[in-house]
Every structure is written in structure tokens, then in C-alpha cells.
Amino acid sequence: MAGVKTEDGADDTALFTTEGHTGVITLNRPRALNALTHPMVLRIAEALTAWERDPAVVQVLIRGAGERGLCAGGDIRAIHDDAKAGGDASEGFWRDEYRLNARIARYPKPYVALMDGIVMGGGVGVSAHGSVRVVTERSRVAMPETGIGFVPDVGGTHLLARAPGELGTHLALTGAAVGAADALLCGLADHFVPAARLPELTAALADAPAHEVLARFAQQPAPGVLAGWRPWIDRCYAAGTVEEIVERLLAEGDPAAKEAAETILAKSPTSLKVTLAAVRRARRLGSLERVLEQEFRVSCHALRAPDLVEGVRAQVVDKDRNPRWSPPALAEVTGADVERFFAPLGEARELRLP
């Protein structure tokens, strides 16, 4: 399978091997922090289909090439260029990516994700829906979309809506990255294994099922910060609007709460309000499939909104870190503005998942 040609002519952006009884996916764009492309998504889906039918493969492992991380997300430069040109390539990418996210969550064999290093956006989508999720002391797990004028997707609003209390709302609005202990607390991971032991863990998985192997390798991580912050997080983020959340954070008198407020105020006002609505609606929708369908609507509408192009320009293209959001203030984003992101796309364009 490693030799299958993709539509962009490359055949090594994702590698597929079988090690003993384990099918191994290696995301192989280390210089791009293993950012996902559409061909990579399609080839992963193809591999999962083949391994699901292969009785010799009892489990699947996904990992990232290089030392920096599993995956920093989707290729947002490509999404920026597509949005700027008014194209629809991103819509096709998201359709297949979200289908893959749902597939991973329902995969009938153990799906082991090594969430070492940076795991953000689309990287969360190909890992945190898996049945066996491993973090290390190097893990930095985040859904940072509000900082680029976008909204958490790839099932991220589903995962964050299920986190204890208002922890998920805090992570969704701030885009903050969490380490191992906090990823475990939020339900984004299952096991902590020191990074130095990952090669040994991978080798052991070739010969034994994941539940047996992890029992030998899993340890307790160093303490995180979110458990200690729960009281003010739950108080502040229970508010009904982003404006009130910020007011409560600033009134707390806690330096960490003040920093969270300042972080939120630097993000896209439109993205913040849509994100809060998306997480709250995800709680009511229940299943991952229904949430992914909602996220697809939101993503497609975001593609036509000004803040996505501007956010990626400021953070990734020009790197001036000075986005000019439109509108620039929370008070200027109306309820109707938010509702437009959840509007039906029309039957031919909607994502429908079984």
C-alpha cells in the first residue's frame, strides 16, 4: 500500500506497513508537522478498509514521522488559498476528512493513536476518536481554530462538549494546548506513556493486543493545571454569552482567568460566538455523526466568511500576528450572524453520515 500513487503524484506523505498483527499508519510530512492533505485522508480510509477485512490484522496504530508531533492539523495554507479563490476543494476535503473521523470512532478493531508532540485540529480528528489514545510528556493537544477565524471541527466540538464541566468550553474559546494530564482529564486521551518508551511500545504491539501492552507501559503523568482551575472555569464559562464569559473571567481576580480573558479577546469575535453555539449545540446533538454534520455546515459557511482568510494570513502566511477581524468586536456580532453558520447547505451539499 505504501506504493499507491495519490492524485497529487506523491506516494510517501502517508506510509502504511504491517508489523506483526498491527497495521501501522505513519503520517510522513515532518517538515509540515505532518499536516493532513486530501490524498492522505483518502489513503488512510483505504488502508482502514483493507485492514478491517484482513483477519491477520488485529489492530491499527497511527503515528507521526519526526520528533515534533503526530499532526498539526489540516493544510490550512491550502484552505486559505481555496477560500481566497472562492473554490470548493476545501469542502471536498472536509467531507472525506469528517467521514474518516466518524469511521475511526466506529472502527471495529482497536485503533491506537500515539499522540506524541503537537496534536492539533485535524490531528485530533485522526487520533482522539480512536479507542486507545496515548499521550506523552511532550504532548500538546489543542483545537486552536478561533485564532485563525475558524471553528473547531473534525468532531472537536463533540469531544469538547463531553469534557467535564466547562473545561471543553474553555479549550474551545481560548484554543489553549493541554499536556498529558489535562488531556486525560478532558477525555481526549486514555493513557500516558513516556516518549522514550514509544519505540518499545510499538514493537510490543506487533505481538500482543493493545489492552495487554498498555497495561505494561502506562504510567501516571505529571500533574496538569486544569483540575485546579475547575472552580473558576466552571463558574465563568457557564455564562450565556462570550461577552459575559469574558466579564466573569476578568472579575475573578485570578491571574490565569485574566490571561484566559485576554487570550479570548485576541481571537475572531465571529468565530468565538459561533464556537460557543457549536459546543452548546453539540451537547444536545449527542452522537459524533450528528455533530460532524453540524460542523460541516459551519465549516462550509466559514469558508465564505472573511475571518478565515484573514486569520490564516496573519498567523501562517504573512505571520504578522495582527489579524483584522470583521467585525472587530464581540458586540458587533449579532445572533443572526451566528445563525448563518448553522444554516442548511441544501440537500445536495449536506454531509450525511450513517
Side-chain angles (χ1 to χ4, degrees):
M1 189 161 282
V4 174
K5 289 289 180 184
T6 63
E7 61 195 59
D8 64 355
D11 66 354
D12 62 352
T13 54
L15 305 175
F16 306 89
T17 57
T18 305
E19 300 180 10
H21 296 295
T22 301
V24 179
I25 303 164
T26 305
L27 305 181
N28 191 40
R29 299 183 69 208
R31 285 185 294 179
L33 265 169
N34 300 318
L36 288 174
T37 64
H38 199 169
M40 291 166 73
V41 165
L42 295 174
R43 295 181 69 223
I44 292 168
E46 180 187 342
L48 291 180
T49 297
W51 287 332
E52 184 175 341
R53 296 168 179 165
D54 187 346
V57 174
V58 300
Q59 59 204 3
V60 171
L61 172 78
I62 187 167
R63 62 188 178 186
E67 295 293 313
R68 297 166 64 200
L70 170 66
C71 174
D75 190 337
I76 57 173
R77 270 184 180 268
I79 293 169
H80 165 273
D81 294 346
D82 184 46
K84 200 170 178 181
D88 59 3
S90 298
E91 195 168 313
F93 168 59
W94 289 325
R95 187 180 298 277
D96 288 323
E97 184 182 24
Y98 300 177
R99 283 173 174 157
L100 176 62
N101 302 146
R103 176 87 180 279
I104 288 167
R106 306 292 183 210
Y107 201 63
K109 298 179 180 182
Y111 181 100
V112 184
L114 301 186
M115 300 171 70
D116 184 35
I118 291 174
V119 186
M120 297 185 179
V124 173
V126 295
S127 60
H129 299 300
S131 53
V132 185
R133 305 162 301 171
V134 179
V135 283
T136 75
E137 73 281 2
R138 303 189 298 200
S139 295
R140 305 299 296 159
V141 184
M143 295 300 296
E145 286 77 8
T146 55
I148 58 165
F150 196 47
V151 178
D153 66 334
V154 298
T157 60
H158 174 77
L159 294 165
L160 295 174
R162 291 157 62 94
E166 295 292 337
L167 292 177
T169 312
H170 169 69
L171 297 183
L173 296 182
T174 62
V178 296
D182 288 333
L184 293 167
L185 172 64
C186 291
L188 300 172
D190 307 299
H191 307 280
F192 169 78
V193 175
R197 299 202 69 191
L198 292 184
E200 189 183 351
L201 169 66
T202 302
L205 285 168
D207 302 315
H211 69 275
E212 290 181 12
V213 171
L214 266 301
R216 305 202 307 266
F217 284 85
Q219 299 181 18
Q220 284 297 316
V225 297
L226 291 182
W229 293 354
R230 270 291 299 278
W232 63 258
I233 284 177
D234 287 353
R235 274 196 303 273
C236 296
Y237 289 94
T241 66
V242 179
E243 290 95 327
E244 191 181 349
I245 288 170
V246 171
E247 287 173 12
R248 291 187 185 187
L249 289 169
L250 291 172
E252 272 293 318
D254 187 305
K258 180 174 183 286
E259 184 179 345
E262 291 169 349
T263 298
I264 289 170
L265 289 172
K267 310 298 185 187
S268 159
T270 301
S271 292
L272 290 168
K273 289 199 171 184
V274 176
T275 294
L276 181 62
V279 172
R280 298 264 162 94
R281 293 178 189 214
R283 287 176 181 164
R284 298 194 296 269
L285 285 171
S287 76
L288 172 62
E289 286 80 5
R290 300 295 81 77
V291 175
L292 284 165
E293 290 167 355
Q294 171 178 275
E295 289 178 349
F296 185 74
R297 283 183 177 179
V298 172
S299 296
C300 290
H301 288 301
L303 195 67
R304 306 292 173 233
D307 278 2
L308 177 57
V309 169
E310 174 60 13
V312 179
R313 179 207 64 77
Q315 300 296 342
V316 179
V317 180
D318 297 339
K319 299 183 180 176
D320 59 24
R321 307 288 191 266
N322 186 32
R324 294 179 291 276
W325 304 123
S326 178
L330 285 165
E332 296 177 52
V333 183
T334 68
D337 293 333
V338 173
E339 282 303 315
R340 275 195 284 273
F341 283 79
F342 297 91
L345 299 169
E347 192 56 40
R349 287 176 62 203
E350 296 282 6
L351 176 66
R352 301 292 185 197
L353 295 171

